[in-house]
Amino acid sequence: MSVTQQQVLDSLARIKSPRGVALANANVLSAISAADGKVFFSINVDAAEARAWESVRAEAEAAVRAIPGVTTVMVALTAERKVGAAPPPPPTPSRGTPGVQPVHAHKPPQGGGSPMARQSEIPGVAAVIAVASGKGGVGKSTTALNLALGLRDLGLKVGLLDADIYGPSVPRLTGLHAKPELNAERKMIPLRRFGLAIMSIGFLVEEETAMIWRGPMVMSAVTQMLRDVEWGQLDVLVVDMPPGTGDAQLTLAQNVPLKGAVIVSTPQDLSLIDARRGLAMFKKVNVPVLGIVENMSYFQCPHCGTKSDIFGHGGAHHEAEKLGVPFLGEIPLHMAIRATSDAGTPVVDSEPDGPHAAIYRAIAGQVRDQLKGVIAAA
């Protein structure tokens, strides 16, 4: 059953804003995306009123979820302070809308203002680790998938979450293009391939769709894929992060107690500069850095065996020593890794006895060893 924008607006007409105005008429809704049972939109309010609107956002999400044919709902609350706006005034008795406290009357919880206080474990998941890079184009997603497969080969139960909202690669790398189904609790059931539980924003939107989302929408999406997915019992959930040090990374760090991060870099100086930023960010939010992987470390001619250092060589190894973090290994620039990735048949699974699969498994072994005590011994 196809869901229309008008159906969404009709459901929202029953939701009242803090001032008692029907949400559909409150001039706060973004464009509504409704296709294939998936509904996305945001509620845009002034930052000074954000707390008073959070319950409205939750009501709106519940109302849309109840529409027949809706399978996925994502409603973000975006809040921007008006240019030149002064900070909220000191608390004073309110004579505003009956039953609605002014925003400045809402006090944060006492006894700890750290965003990390919101962390909670994902039921059934022993360890969540992030695979990150300071910049795009360094082979992070390919590394994340093959690392997950390497952990699988060590006897662990593994999941893979593609949190790269703006450029999800996992659907192409795994050859998966189906839509996740919902269980009785309205949680998404991850797709399965190669013995992995897999979830990606790419399963929910078309490949050509431009994800023009504000930060709060990104944070809402990452949170939903962490919390509204039935992951089952996993030893490790590998999260393929978007490049950089933005909203998605902070949302993940603030939502779940990450057991570690793997930084992927190429040997060249430009990539290493960005990798340092990623490493510094994880240290700042108290996430252990499990190590650095040097991807595209060298090119080995398939005909004569000669090695060529196209992007330089050893830079990531040197950086790991300099920063005092483990160096996990070198992955070559090789046609087999590229070709199997493009075909949706990752090299660890399609060529398990080859040299490249051995490299990924060796990296996975080092990650597994650092997680002992958290995950069940393989």
Side-chain angles (χ1 to χ4, degrees):
M1 182 184 298
S2 178
V3 180
T4 67
Q5 291 184 359
Q6 190 57 52
Q7 285 177 290
V8 174
L9 288 171
D10 290 345
S11 72
L12 297 178
R14 298 188 291 272
I15 308 298
K16 300 295 184 182
S17 77
R19 294 181 177 84
V21 179
L23 184 57
N25 300 322
N27 199 30
V28 294
L29 297 179
S30 71
I32 296 172
S33 171
D36 300 326
K38 299 180 290 291
V39 179
F40 306 97
F41 63 92
S42 61
I43 301 173
N44 309 307
V45 301
D46 184 77
E49 301 179 352
R51 288 184 182 274
W53 278 87
E54 176 52 37
S55 61
V56 177
R57 186 210 65 79
E59 286 182 52
E61 189 168 281
V64 175
R65 197 181 299 277
I67 299 173
V70 170
T71 57
T72 303
V73 183
M74 198 174 295
V75 181
L77 181 63
T78 67
E80 295 182 1
R81 189 170 302 284
K82 293 178 181 177
V83 177
T92 57
S94 173
R95 292 183 292 179
T97 306
V100 179
Q101 283 189 305
V103 175
H104 57 250
H106 294 266
K107 295 181 179 179
Q110 301 300 310
S114 170
M116 301 305 155
R118 298 196 299 267
Q119 289 180 336
S120 62
E121 304 280 356
I122 299 174
V125 179
V128 181
I129 65 171
V131 177
S133 65
K135 66 192 301 290
V138 299
K140 168 185 53 60
S141 296
T142 298
T143 303
L145 174 56
N146 283 293
L147 169 61
L149 291 170
L151 291 167
R152 175 208 65 181
D153 287 351
L154 296 175
L156 302 179
K157 296 177 182 177
V158 185
L160 177 65
L161 170 58
D162 181 2
D164 192 347
I165 302 299
Y166 295 114
S169 302
V170 165
R172 177 64 61 91
L173 294 173
T174 58
L176 289 171
H177 301 285
K179 307 297 182 187
E181 297 181 353
L182 299 180
N183 65 9
E185 287 75 40
R186 307 287 291 175
K187 284 193 171 187
M188 291 181 283
I189 302 172
L191 304 184
R192 297 199 67 89
R193 195 173 185 197
F194 314 122
L196 304 177
I198 304 171
M199 178 56 64
S200 169
I201 192 70
F203 299 151
L204 305 176
V205 298
E206 299 303 322
E207 190 173 46
E208 296 80 12
T209 300
M211 305 297 282
I212 309 172
W213 286 1
R214 294 172 184 260
M217 197 73 170
V218 172
M219 293 186 283
S220 178
V222 172
T223 301
Q224 192 160 358
M225 289 194 295
L226 284 169
R227 301 291 177 190
D228 291 349
V229 172
E230 184 54 66
W231 289 107
Q233 298 295 316
L234 296 178
D235 295 306
V236 184
L237 175 61
V238 178
V239 183
D240 176 21
M241 300 301 299
T245 54
D247 293 317
Q249 289 83 351
L250 290 174
T251 298
L252 183 67
Q254 292 174 3
N255 257 278
V256 296
L258 286 171
K259 298 304 187 287
V262 174
I263 307 295
V264 180
S265 177
T266 59
Q268 64 194 116
D269 290 341
L270 187 60
S271 179
L272 289 168
I273 290 170
D274 292 317
R276 280 183 214 120
R277 294 192 184 103
L279 190 146
M281 185 209 71
F282 283 113
K283 286 191 171 182
K284 187 168 289 187
V285 295
N286 299 318
V287 174
V289 176
L290 301 174
I292 299 177
V293 172
E294 183 170 282
N295 198 31
M296 308 180 198
S297 183
Y298 55 87
F299 171 74
Q300 187 166 13
C301 177
H303 304 294
C304 66
T306 302
K307 287 186 177 181
S308 300
D309 298 332
I310 295 177
F311 300 114
H313 182 259
H317 195 169
H318 174 73
E319 196 66 26
E321 291 179 345
K322 177 181 173 182
L323 297 173
V325 299
F327 179 69
L328 298 177
E330 301 174 347
I331 301 171
L333 179 66
H334 196 279
M335 183 72 74
I337 298 175
R338 196 276 306 163
T340 55
S341 297
D342 287 351
T345 55
V347 70
V348 171
D349 194 80
S350 58
E351 300 179 13
D353 299 322
H356 305 119
I359 294 171
Y360 285 114
R361 276 196 293 270
I363 292 171
Q366 294 182 69
V367 170
R368 185 269 318 268
D369 291 345
Q370 294 187 67
L371 295 176
K372 278 184 177 176
V374 177
I375 59 176

